[in-house]
Amino acid sequence: MHSFHYQNNSLHCENVDLQDLIQEHGTPLYVYSQATIVDHFTRLDAALDGVDHLVCYATKANSNLAVLNLLAQRGAGFDIVSGGELYRIIKAGGDPAKCTFAGVGKTRSEIEYALEQGVGCFNAESEAEVQRLNDIAGEMGKKAPIALRVNPNVDAKTHKYISTGKSDNKFGINFESIPDAYARAAKLPNVTLRGVQMHIGSQLTSVDPFIEAVKKVTPLVEDLKAQYGIEFFSIGGGIGIVYEDTLASHDAAWWSRDDSDETAAVPITIEAYAQALLPLLKPLGLTIFLEPGRLIAGNAGVLLSEVLYEKKGGSKIFEIVDAGMNDLIRPALYQGHHDIVPVKQPASEDTVAVDIVGPVCESGDFFAQDRELPKLEQGDCIAVLSAGAYGFVMASNYNSRPFPAEILVDGSQSHVIRKRQTFDDLIAGEVIPK
Ligand SMILES: *Cc1c(COP(=O)(O)O)cnc(C)c1O
């Protein structure tokens, strides 16, 4: 679902005119649609009705308290990767018992905090970590609920920076080593074997790698259930979204778009994903955990920015905007594509090839290169689409640029869910020695 559309020649999020939000809150500005976030969660949840399951939203995709609260209210679990994320879940009204704690480098203090708060499960990524979980739980007189993350060694066919399920990635435990790793873990007094987990990568645009991974891991899962009575199998996140032509196609709800149309940049539809995987998962008789992040939040958000200057280079036209790679790093970090549209619908359909660049002192600071866009004028505003996931969460203060504000739109209402940072915020905590 996509809640961004033109109305009276102005781009709206649900019923709110984005130009009005810009007038009130300035730019750069992140805007999220509540309806989209909720819709994506409930649709995925419903598509899995045939099997006992828990959708654990991957907090790292967009961890604003208001976003987490929307999902917590609707019964979501959460996949977390740090103590800070667990703190956010608790502050947002989420249930620690419905949290799975992933990540290759959990620290002692993070493990202690998670045990104190009663985290649902630690998804351990190495045997050294299992040992440490056992030791710390023992010191605290507790038992650590754990699952091991299996690296199934399948190719997710996604960008190498977001591929996680090959044997040369740092994630998980080798497929071949898993049986022995469980056997050793089962002997430890202070851990409980609760499940098994995998996550092969992000922004997958085909169900095939998921099917391949589930099929490959299934015999192992059956074995672990028989031997250790594990209760859940987490198949991770990674469902890709459409980044291209999202406005044009939003009426034809993308999640139910015809997969046979090979000309469309068809992502995995929720239905296709569920239909392909449910028959494989149901017979296991386990609770299935999913950890979607991008799917829930990606197309629910935009980054709004104003054109500051136009500059004609030797061979290029640069539109210099007031948002930069510090606000949204996906293009610079993994060549992420974002559609860009003007907030005010242009009168003419003519386009020009331009580079949309930010003010940051890095050549990697661009949102688009050689992109055909309607003619932009100084003061015009643009919307960088599909910026709801891995957007604000990766923002930095590089170049001492304050974080942008975040707005949540609900129908005709809008709420500031994070204030724009001030210069004082920038230096908070810094000290000049006497
Ligand atoms: C990042 C991550 C996810 C979410 O990935 P998406 O592509 O956003 O769905 C899920 N599980 C784990 C372990 C992750 O690291």
Side-chain angles (χ1 to χ4, degrees):
M1 174 166 170
H2 203 308
S3 301
F4 296 88
H5 56 275
Y6 287 107
Q7 201 174 311
N8 307 323
N9 297 324
S10 193
L11 191 64
H12 283 58
C13 173
E14 302 187 22
N15 300 323
V16 173
D17 189 331
L18 294 180
Q19 195 66 47
D20 291 345
L21 287 182
I22 290 169
Q23 238 79 59
E24 196 177 340
H25 305 285
T27 49
L29 188 68
Y30 273 99
V31 180
Y32 310 121
S33 156
Q34 172 165 329
T36 308
I37 295 169
V38 169
D39 176 82
H40 288 170
F41 172 76
T42 45
R43 269 172 187 274
L44 180 61
D45 201 30
L48 291 154
D49 259 353
V51 65
D52 191 20
H53 69 275
L54 180 65
V55 176
C56 296
Y57 168 68
T59 307
K60 72 179 189 284
N62 183 327
S63 58
N64 185 289
L65 289 186
V67 171
L68 300 178
N69 176 257
L70 286 179
L71 297 168
Q73 276 178 33
R74 285 157 183 85
F78 296 91
D79 184 60
I80 57 171
V81 293
S82 70
E85 284 192 349
L86 177 55
Y87 181 76
R88 282 182 176 276
I89 298 302
I90 293 167
K91 291 290 173 189
D95 181 358
K98 283 183 170 178
C99 287
T100 51
F101 192 167
V104 297
K106 303 173 189 77
T107 65
R108 165 173 280 271
S109 64
E110 286 178 319
I111 292 169
E112 286 171 353
Y113 176 52
L115 281 169
E116 275 161 19
Q117 299 299 326
V119 79
C121 194
F122 292 91
N123 291 342
E125 306 225 13
S126 64
E127 290 204 64
E129 181 190 332
V130 173
Q131 189 61 54
R132 175 166 268 201
L133 286 164
N134 179 69
D135 295 347
I136 297 174
E139 289 165 23
M140 294 173 69
K142 290 183 186 284
K143 278 204 163 209
I146 69 164
L148 301 192
R149 175 168 176 175
V150 51
N151 184 328
N153 194 22
V154 299
D155 188 352
K157 302 204 169 55
T158 183
H159 191 278
K160 64 175 192 257
Y161 284 11
I162 49 178
S163 179
T164 58
K166 287 281 283 175
S167 57
D168 54 359
N169 296 126
K170 72 176 174 183
F171 298 99
I173 297 172
N174 270 337
F175 183 73
E176 290 74 21
S177 315
I178 285 282
D180 286 348
Y182 270 87
R184 282 189 282 270
K187 296 206 182 83
L188 299 174
N190 309 315
V191 300
T192 316
L193 296 173
R194 281 210 53 213
V196 59
Q197 194 264 357
M198 68 177 186
H199 171 69
I200 58 175
S202 196
Q203 185 52 17
L204 273 70
T205 49
S206 155
V207 279
D208 296 344
F210 287 116
I211 296 171
E212 186 188 339
V214 168
K215 281 189 174 158
K216 183 164 179 188
V217 174
T218 289
L220 177 70
V221 174
E222 285 168 336
D223 211 46
L224 295 174
K225 185 186 174 198
Q227 284 202 53
Y228 308 108
I230 61 166
E231 304 144 47
F232 76 81
F233 176 25
S234 172
I235 59 171
I239 306 172
I241 62 166
V242 188
Y243 278 98
E244 293 186 43
D245 297 328
T246 48
L247 277 196
S249 64
H250 83 271
D251 289 329
W254 60 262
W255 61 83
S256 58
R257 214 154 51 169
D258 182 1
D259 272 35
S260 63
D261 177 6
E262 293 185 1
T263 56
V266 181
I268 302 172
T269 65
I270 286 176
E271 277 73 18
Y273 177 82
Q275 266 172 32
L277 295 179
L278 281 183
L280 303 175
L281 297 171
K282 245 187 189 163
L284 294 173
L286 292 169
T287 302
I288 302 301
F289 286 10
L290 286 93
E291 305 164 356
R294 194 186 308 267
L295 174 80
I296 306 288
N299 278 325
V302 297
L303 172 62
L304 303 176
S305 184
E306 182 185 320
V307 176
L308 298 174
Y309 305 104
E310 181 176 278
K311 177 155 101 172
K312 294 208 162 68
S315 57
K316 280 177 176 270
I317 301 173
F318 296 103
E319 301 292 349
I320 302 164
V321 300
D322 67 355
M325 65 187 284
N326 70 296
D327 302 305
L328 175 65
I329 203 174
R330 292 189 66 259
L333 187 61
Y334 20 65
Q335 296 149 338
H337 171 94
H338 289 271
D339 276 359
I340 295 174
V341 298
V343 171
K344 286 287 175 197
Q345 206 165 19
S348 150
E349 287 187 5
D350 295 348
T351 60
V352 222
V354 294
D355 280 21
I356 304 281
V357 303
V360 173
C361 305
E362 296 285 345
S363 295
D365 181 29
F366 59 81
F367 295 119
Q369 291 178 306
D370 299 315
R371 183 80 60 86
E372 288 289 337
L373 286 179
K375 185 81 196 75
L376 292 165
E377 306 288 344
Q378 203 172 74
D380 283 354
C381 290
I382 57 162
V384 181
L385 304 182
S386 313
Y390 306 107
F392 185 95
V393 285
M394 287 195 186
S396 77
N397 288 132
Y398 187 40
N399 281 205
S400 285
R401 292 167 46 80
F403 288 149
E406 292 176 284
I407 307 285
L408 183 68
V409 168
D410 175 18
S412 304
Q413 294 196 317
S414 63
H415 309 279
V416 177
I417 56 171
R418 181 174 178 124
K419 289 186 209 154
R420 184 178 302 285
Q421 269 189 331
T422 63
F423 286 165
D424 277 338
D425 293 332
L426 280 181
I427 57 166
E430 292 182 36
V431 179
I432 300 172
K434 286 255 160 44

